[in-house]
Amino acid sequence: MSETAAREKLIDLAAQFYDQFELGEIPHMDVPTRSKSNIIFDEDAGVWVYGDRSSSRSANSVRGARKLLKAVYTIEFLANQLDEDRSSTLRELYYLSESWDEEEAQFNSQDQSNSLVEDLEIVSGVKREDFHMRPEESGATLMGPLLLREQTRRGDREIHCQEDVGEGGYQIPNNPDTIEFLDNDADFVMAVETGGMRDRLIENGFDDEYNAIIVHLKGQPARATRRITKRLHDDLDLPVTVFTDGDPWSYRIYGSVAYGSIKSAHLSEYLATPQADFVGIRPVDIVEYDLPTDPLSDSDVNALESELEDPRFSTDFWTEQIELQLDIEKKAEQQALASRGLDFVTDTYLPERLDEMGVI
Amino acid sequence: MSETAAREKLIDLAAQFYDQFELGEIPHMDVPTRSKSNIIFDEDAGVWVYGDRSSSRSANSVRGARKLLKAVYTIEFLANQLDEDRSSTLRELYYLSESWDEEEAQFNSQDQSNSLVEDLEIVSGVKREDFHMRPEESGATLMGPLLLREQTRRGDREIHCQEDVGEGGYQIPNNPDTIEFLDNDADFVMAVETGGMRDRLIENGFDDEYNAIIVHLKGQPARATRRITKRLHDDLDLPVTVFTDGDPWSYRIYGSVAYGSIKSAHLSEYLATPQADFVGIRPVDIVEYDLPTDPLSDSDVNALESELEDPRFSTDFWTEQIELQLDIEKKAEQQALASRGLDFVTDTYLPERLDEMGVI
C-alpha cells in the first residue's frame, strides 16, 4: 500500500470520531476480540481469521476516553511519519510519546502502545509495515536461485541470492514488500527452523542440487520472514515446505507459517501460506529412523494436548502424529538426523520425504 | 590457520597420549581452570587471559579415562572433517557420536561435547573455527563503506557493504577469517546492541554521513561478530566504539567486545578489542539527558555489584558510572533517546559523545 493510501485510511479513522461527535454519539472504536475462541476458518482464503465477536473502546468512561486520546495522538504521529517518509520501531513510539504535550496521551508501558498499534492495524485495514513501523529485530536470511530487486532508501539493489551474497545469505529486510522478484530457477521453497540445519543444507549444496530457496525461520518466524515466504508461494507459484524440530513448539512454528497466529489473525491473508506442507521431524520419523530423542517434559505434553484442541491442527495428519508423540513420549531435533552421518539429511531423509510429498 | 596446520595440531594432541603410554605415564591432559579467579591481565596483549591454575583429565579413574576416550574419538572426527574440508555444528557432533562404534565414547549430553571442544581448543591452541565447528546461530550484520571479498564454498564473492546489500546489510559468515578487506572509506566502527537502534542509524544515514561501519551486536555478540570487529580494528586501524543500553547486562556486552569473556579467555587475543570505547548509554547520560527510565531490579543491582568486583571493570570510568547507577537506581535503553525525537540520537547525542571521545 502506498504511503498516501495508508495515510488516508488513518485520517479516515480520526474523521470517524468527528462524525460520531456530530451525530451526538459517544466516540468509540470497535475491534474484534483476539482470542482462540474468536477465530474461524475462512474457506475462500483458506486461512483462519477473526470471528464476529468484538469489544468496544468507548469514551463513556475515563479509561476508555484516555485510550481514544492515545489512539488519536498515535494516528497523528503515524500520519506525519508517512508524510515525511520516515519509519520507527514500536519501542521508539513508546518513548516518543513522552515528548507529546498532552500527558494523558502518553503511554504507560510498551504493551499499551504495541496493542494500540495492533488495534489500529485491524480497524484501519492497514498493515504495520505500511504505517512504516519496524519490528525490533528481524534477522532471517534467504539463500537460493533467485534474483531480486530491493528498493532501499539509497536506491535499488539487484541481488542474486546465491551469486551475490556470502555464505550467510541474503538478509530479508523488515518490509519485504520493497522486494520485486526478477527471475528464478527454483522448484520449491524450504523454510528451516534452526541455524545449524540451515547451514548444513547450504554446506551440502542442497539449494543448488534441488533448486530450493532456503528460508531460515530462526525459531518463531518474524513477520517479514512469513511475508516473503507467502510471496514466494503466491507470486512465483512455488510449493512451500517447512522443516523443523519434532516437538510441539516447532509444530507451532509450522502453524504460524501455514495458518497464521491468533495474535495476528487479521493479517492471515497477508502472512499465512495455507498451502505450506510440513516435512518433519514427524513423530513417525522418530520411530522409523530411530532418532536420538529427549523425553517430553510436562509443558511439552500440555502443549501437545492444547494442539489437539486447536482448530488449526484438527486434521487427520496432525491428530495421528500428535497422538503418536504422546504415546512414545519422545521428541527429537532436526539435527538428530546427524546420528546417521552429516549427509543423511540431504542424501536420504529430505529426498525421501519430498518425493513422498510430491514436491520433487 | 590452514586445514593442514589445524589437523596437525590435533594429531599432535593424540600423539601425546602415545608418548605418555611409552614413558609408562598414565595418559592425561591438563587444561587451565576456567573461572573468574583464574583470569589475569596480559599487559602485552592488553587482554585478560587464563592464569596458572589448571585441572587434569587423567586416565587414573574410569571417569577420567572415559573423558580421554571421548577426546580421542572427537580428535579423529575433527581430523577427518578437516581432511574432507567439511564442517559441522556442536550439536551435530553430539548427535553424530551416537554413530561411533565404541559406546563409551558417545556423549551423554551436549554440555559434555561442548566443553570437550573448548578443552581441545585450549590445549591445541587451535580455534573452534579452524576445527570447522560452526555455532548454532550467528546472524549479525554489518553495514558501512567497506569493500570485502568473502571466500565461500562456491567461489569468492566481492561485496560492498553499502552498495551491494539490501537494507538488512551484509550477513557476517560463521568464520569471518574467510573475509579479506579490499578497500574502505571508514573513519570508525560502531557496534550497536539492538536491532531497533541499528535500523535507526541506517535510516538516518549515519553510516554514510560519518563514514561509520555499523556492526549489529544482536545482544550478547556471537564469536563471529567479535572477531570481525577485532579485525576491523587491527587490520584497518579503525577506532571501535560500542553503543548499548544503559544497564549492567549491556555493560557485559561491551565487556565481551573489549575484554573477552571468562568462558573464552583462551581466545581473548583472537576475539577481544581492548581499545574498544564505550559510547553509552552511560548512567550520567540518564541524568544529563533526563531519559525515560525503568527502576533497577534486584538482579540488576546484583549484576552491578558483581561488576564492581570484576577486575575487568575496575577502572575509574566504570567505578564512577556503576556507583552513580546504584545511586540513581535507574536504567535506560538506547531507544529511550527517541523521547527527544527520532533524530536526536544522530543529530545530537552521538556527535556530542563521539567528539568528546575524540573519535570524530
Side-chain angles (χ1 to χ4, degrees):
Chain A
M1 188 179 289
S2 74
E3 278 91 35
T4 325
R7 196 170 176 279
E8 264 169 30
K9 294 254 190 189
L10 282 166
I11 304 284
D12 283 352
L13 219 57
Q16 268 180 38
F17 299 134
Y18 282 90
D19 293 345
Q20 291 165 350
F21 274 120
E22 235 168 29
L23 290 167
E25 283 176 21
I26 297 173
H28 62 274
M29 188 167 91
D30 295 325
V31 292
T33 308
R34 302 208 282 278
S35 72
K36 193 154 83 176
S37 58
N38 193 38
I39 56 170
I40 55 167
F41 191 70
D42 179 331
E43 298 282 351
D44 294 335
V47 293
W48 294 84
V49 297
Y50 290 122
D52 287 336
R53 282 172 40 209
S54 70
S55 27
S56 184
R57 318 265 184 269
S58 159
N60 65 3
S61 71
V62 175
R63 206 167 146 265
R66 214 180 267 130
K67 278 198 177 179
L68 292 185
L69 182 70
K70 289 174 206 279
V72 170
Y73 267 83
T74 304
I75 288 171
E76 189 184 10
F77 165 72
L78 292 173
N80 287 339
Q81 167 162 294
L82 288 168
D83 215 28
E84 294 165 14
D85 193 17
R86 303 292 306 267
S87 63
S88 56
T89 66
L90 290 168
R91 210 187 296 267
E92 283 177 325
L93 166 62
Y94 160 61
Y95 284 122
L96 199 94
S97 76
E98 296 230 357
S99 66
W100 292 345
D101 52 2
E102 177 55 62
E103 211 167 305
E104 297 274 13
Q106 298 173 10
F107 296 108
N108 307 110
S109 72
Q110 208 193 321
D111 281 352
Q112 235 177 42
S113 47
N114 288 356
S115 105
L116 174 64
V117 170
E118 267 173 35
D119 284 355
L120 290 179
E121 266 191 312
I122 297 174
V123 179
S124 68
V126 179
K127 299 177 302 284
R128 193 177 73 199
E129 288 78 1
D130 293 322
F131 290 151
H132 289 197
M133 293 301 291
R134 290 191 306 255
E136 294 310 317
E137 306 281 344
S138 156
T141 60
L142 181 156
M143 185 108 156
L146 172 69
L147 177 68
L148 55 79
R149 181 187 294 134
E150 183 187 329
Q151 188 189 328
T152 81
R153 293 178 169 271
R154 300 162 190 205
D156 289 359
R157 301 281 186 264
E158 273 195 25
I159 299 173
H160 187 283
C161 300
Q162 277 168 336
E163 289 158 21
D164 300 331
V165 297
E167 294 212 325
Y170 167 70
Q171 179 77 24
I172 301 166
N174 290 321
N175 181 3
D177 285 354
T178 57
I179 292 174
E180 189 185 339
F181 299 133
L182 298 179
D183 196 15
N184 79 91
D185 287 315
D187 290 334
F188 64 98
V189 175
M190 181 170 286
V192 181
E193 177 179 355
T194 65
M197 183 52 78
R198 180 260 173 211
D199 290 343
R200 166 62 46 221
L201 298 184
I202 301 303
E203 172 172 332
N204 291 9
F206 184 79
D207 54 321
D208 225 21
E209 192 176 340
Y210 287 92
N211 301 324
I213 297 176
I214 310 288
V215 175
H216 182 198
L217 294 173
K218 275 200 158 204
Q220 193 64 42
R223 280 166 64 144
T225 312
R226 287 183 280 153
R227 175 61 184 162
I228 202 165
T229 303
K230 182 182 180 59
R231 285 197 54 209
L232 288 168
H233 175 272
D234 290 3
D235 298 1
L236 304 182
D237 207 21
L238 294 174
V240 169
T241 62
V242 181
F243 183 25
T244 69
D245 289 340
D247 64 49
W249 316 101
S250 298
Y251 309 152
R252 287 192 190 174
I253 289 173
Y254 162 72
S256 83
V257 173
Y259 313 131
S261 69
I262 292 168
K263 228 180 80 106
S264 58
H266 58 296
L267 296 163
S268 291
E269 283 186 63
Y270 170 76
L271 295 178
T273 311
Q275 303 83 356
D277 246 351
F278 186 68
V279 176
I281 304 291
R282 301 169 301 169
V284 68
D285 295 326
I286 299 178
V287 179
E288 277 181 17
Y289 295 103
D290 191 25
L291 298 179
T293 56
D294 284 310
L296 294 179
S297 68
D298 288 347
S299 69
D300 290 334
V301 171
N302 288 340
L304 285 170
E305 279 168 353
S306 142
E307 279 164 9
L308 277 180
E309 310 272 293
D310 190 321
R312 295 167 301 174
F313 283 98
S314 68
T315 63
D316 289 348
F317 171 80
W318 282 110
T319 310
E320 194 179 308
Q321 293 300 317
I322 292 170
E323 281 173 355
L324 172 62
Q325 187 150 34
L326 286 167
D327 195 43
I328 61 176
E329 297 179 321
K330 285 171 184 166
K331 59 184 175 182
E333 297 184 341
Q334 14 183 219
Q335 291 192 71
L337 293 163
S339 65
R340 302 289 197 91
L342 295 179
D343 297 331
F344 181 75
V345 61
T346 46
D347 285 356
T348 307
Y349 178 77
L350 286 177
E352 280 181 13
R353 273 297 289 148
L354 294 170
D355 180 45
E356 213 172 277
M357 291 161 69
V359 176
I360 58 171
Chain B
M1 189 179 288
S2 74
E3 278 91 34
T4 325
R7 195 169 177 280
E8 264 168 31
K9 294 254 189 189
L10 281 167
I11 305 285
D12 284 351
L13 219 56
Q16 268 181 37
F17 298 134
Y18 282 90
D19 294 345
Q20 290 166 351
F21 274 119
E22 235 166 29
L23 290 167
E25 282 176 20
I26 297 172
H28 62 274
M29 188 167 91
D30 295 324
V31 292
T33 307
R34 302 208 282 278
S35 71
K36 193 155 84 176
S37 59
N38 192 38
I39 56 170
I40 54 167
F41 191 69
D42 179 331
E43 297 282 352
D44 294 337
V47 293
W48 294 84
V49 297
Y50 290 121
D52 287 336
R53 283 172 39 210
S54 69
S55 29
S56 183
R57 318 265 184 267
S58 159
N60 66 2
S61 70
V62 175
R63 205 166 148 265
R66 212 179 268 132
K67 277 197 176 180
L68 291 185
L69 183 70
K70 290 175 207 279
V72 170
Y73 266 82
T74 305
I75 287 171
E76 190 184 11
F77 164 73
L78 292 174
N80 287 339
Q81 168 162 295
L82 289 168
D83 216 28
E84 295 165 14
D85 194 17
R86 303 291 307 267
S87 63
S88 56
T89 66
L90 290 168
R91 209 188 295 265
E92 283 177 324
L93 167 62
Y94 160 61
Y95 284 122
L96 199 94
S97 76
E98 295 231 357
S99 66
W100 292 344
D101 53 0
E102 177 53 63
E103 210 166 305
E104 297 275 13
Q106 298 172 11
F107 296 109
N108 307 110
S109 72
Q110 207 193 321
D111 281 352
Q112 234 177 40
S113 47
N114 287 357
S115 106
L116 175 65
V117 169
E118 267 174 35
D119 284 355
L120 291 179
E121 265 191 312
I122 296 173
V123 179
S124 68
V126 178
K127 298 176 304 283
R128 193 178 72 197
E129 288 78 2
D130 292 323
F131 290 151
H132 289 195
M133 293 301 292
R134 290 191 306 256
E136 295 309 318
E137 306 281 345
S138 157
T141 60
L142 181 155
M143 184 108 156
L146 171 69
L147 177 69
L148 54 79
R149 180 187 294 135
E150 182 187 330
Q151 188 189 327
T152 81
R153 297 182 165 267
R154 301 162 188 204
D156 289 358
R157 302 279 186 266
E158 273 194 25
I159 299 171
H160 188 282
C161 300
Q162 277 168 336
E163 289 158 21
D164 300 332
V165 298
E167 294 212 325
Y170 167 70
Q171 179 76 23
I172 301 166
N174 291 320
N175 182 3
D177 285 354
T178 57
I179 292 174
E180 190 184 337
F181 300 132
L182 299 179
D183 196 14
N184 80 91
D185 287 316
D187 290 334
F188 65 98
V189 175
M190 181 170 287
V192 181
E193 177 179 354
T194 66
M197 183 51 79
R198 181 261 173 211
D199 291 342
R200 166 63 45 221
L201 298 184
I202 302 303
E203 173 172 331
N204 290 10
F206 183 79
D207 54 321
D208 224 22
E209 192 175 340
Y210 286 93
N211 301 324
I213 297 177
I214 309 288
V215 175
H216 181 197
L217 294 172
K218 274 198 163 216
Q220 193 64 42
R223 280 166 65 143
T225 312
R226 286 182 281 153
R227 175 61 183 161
I228 203 165
T229 303
K230 183 183 179 57
R231 287 197 54 209
L232 288 168
H233 175 272
D234 289 4
D235 299 2
L236 303 183
D237 207 21
L238 295 173
V240 170
T241 62
V242 181
F243 183 25
T244 70
D245 289 340
D247 64 50
W249 317 101
S250 298
Y251 309 151
R252 287 194 190 170
I253 289 173
Y254 163 72
S256 82
V257 172
Y259 312 131
S261 69
I262 291 168
K263 227 180 82 111
S264 57
H266 57 295
L267 295 163
S268 292
E269 283 185 64
Y270 170 76
L271 296 177
T273 312
Q275 303 82 355
D277 245 352
F278 187 69
V279 177
I281 306 290
R282 301 169 301 168
V284 67
D285 295 326
I286 299 177
V287 179
E288 277 181 16
Y289 295 103
D290 190 24
L291 298 179
T293 56
D294 285 309
L296 294 179
S297 68
D298 288 349
S299 69
D300 290 335
V301 171
N302 288 339
L304 285 170
E305 279 168 353
S306 142
E307 279 164 9
L308 277 181
E309 310 272 294
D310 190 322
R312 296 168 300 174
F313 283 97
S314 68
T315 62
D316 288 348
F317 171 81
W318 282 110
T319 309
E320 195 179 306
Q321 293 301 318
I322 293 170
E323 281 173 355
L324 172 61
Q325 187 150 35
L326 287 167
D327 196 43
I328 61 175
E329 298 178 320
K330 285 172 184 166
K331 60 183 175 184
E333 298 184 341
Q334 14 183 219
Q335 292 192 69
L337 292 164
S339 65
R340 301 289 198 92
L342 295 178
D343 297 331
F344 181 74
V345 61
T346 46
D347 284 356
T348 308
Y349 179 76
L350 286 177
E352 280 182 12
R353 273 296 288 147
L354 294 169
D355 179 46
E356 212 173 276
M357 292 161 69
V359 176
I360 57 172

